[in-house]
Amino acid sequence: MKTFWKDLKECMEIFWAFLKVGFITFGGGLAVFKIYDDVFVNKKKWLERDELYDYYILSQTIPGIIIVSTSAFIGYRLKKQRGLFWAVAGVVVPSIVIITLVAMFFEKFMAFELTHKILKGMTVGVTSGLIYVTYDLSKRYVGNWIYALMAIVS
């Protein structure tokens, strides 16, 4: 019986970690990558940075949402199939909740000037995150700075 409760506790820890990350992130795969690095590599120490890079790169090669696939790989590494399920559930639930709320009140949201300002601010944050991750990836995987510059420009 202790094994069941221990297992459930570990699965809920995975779910809550991904749920929190899902609620605070905005943008696509690269925009979220830095947060995953901070939370799962630096704070929780669930995996090494190179593993996160590998999962992210592998997620780009398969169909679907990159960050959901990356979450699935992390969850699977932590707790096999149960970890995969709870990690994906945690990262997807916030999007479903937010999209549902926005859809219900879309016209009212867009009528507020504050909504436009918030979205502009989020754009700046996402852009700076993309620049940082692009720079970090280029340091790790591109040995020649000319190639790195071409990757950034493209």
Side-chain angles (χ1 to χ4, degrees), residues 2-38:
K2 278 187 178 183
T3 306
F4 170 78
W5 292 110
K6 182 180 180 222
D7 189 51
L8 182 63
K9 181 182 176 195
E10 291 170 354
C11 288
M12 288 301 99
E13 185 179 358
I14 292 169
F15 175 76
W16 284 113
F18 280 93
L19 185 76
K20 287 187 244 180
V21 168
F23 270 117
I24 63 168
T25 55
F26 186 80
L30 269 179
V32 179
F33 186 84
K34 177 67 175 131
I35 295 171
Y36 270 50
D37 185 46
D38 287 341

Side-chain angles (χ1 to χ4, degrees), residues 129-148:
L130 287 172
I131 291 169
Y132 173 80
V133 171
T134 302
Y135 171 74
D136 195 44
L137 282 171
S138 67
K139 277 191 336 189
R140 289 180 184 281
Y141 293 105
V142 179
N144 186 328
W145 279 102
I146 294 172
Y147 295 139

Side-chain angles (χ1 to χ4, degrees), residues 96-129:
I96 293 169
V97 170
I98 292 168
I99 289 170
T100 301
L101 291 174
V102 169
M104 288 170 52
F105 303 107
F106 181 76
E107 289 181 17
K108 291 180 184 178
F109 277 138
M110 295 315 290
F112 292 114
E113 184 63 30
L114 181 62
T115 303
H116 296 280
K117 290 179 181 178
I118 289 171
L119 289 174
K120 283 182 184 177
M122 291 172 100
T123 302
V124 171
V126 168
T127 303
S128 64

Side-chain angles (χ1 to χ4, degrees), residues 38-114:
D38 287 341
V39 172
F40 302 121
V41 174
N42 297 330
K43 290 182 184 160
K44 294 217 175 269
K45 307 229 184 285
W46 282 351
L47 61 155
E48 298 293 321
R49 180 169 284 123
D50 288 339
E51 288 177 289
L52 180 61
Y53 281 110
D54 291 344
Y55 295 152
Y56 178 77
I57 291 166
L58 187 58
S59 295
Q60 291 183 3
T61 65
I62 58 176
I65 302 166
I66 293 170
I67 212 62
V68 173
S69 300
T70 304
S71 301
F73 285 124
I74 295 170
Y76 187 82
R77 182 193 177 281
L78 296 173
K79 206 90 175 103
K80 302 294 181 213
Q81 289 89 353
R82 285 185 295 267
L84 184 149
F85 174 81
W86 288 111
V88 169
V91 81
V92 168
V93 165
S95 297
I96 293 169
V97 170
I98 292 168
I99 289 170
T100 301
L101 291 174
V102 169
M104 288 170 52
F105 303 107
F106 181 76
E107 289 181 17
K108 291 180 184 178
F109 277 138
M110 295 315 290
F112 292 114
E113 184 63 30
L114 181 62

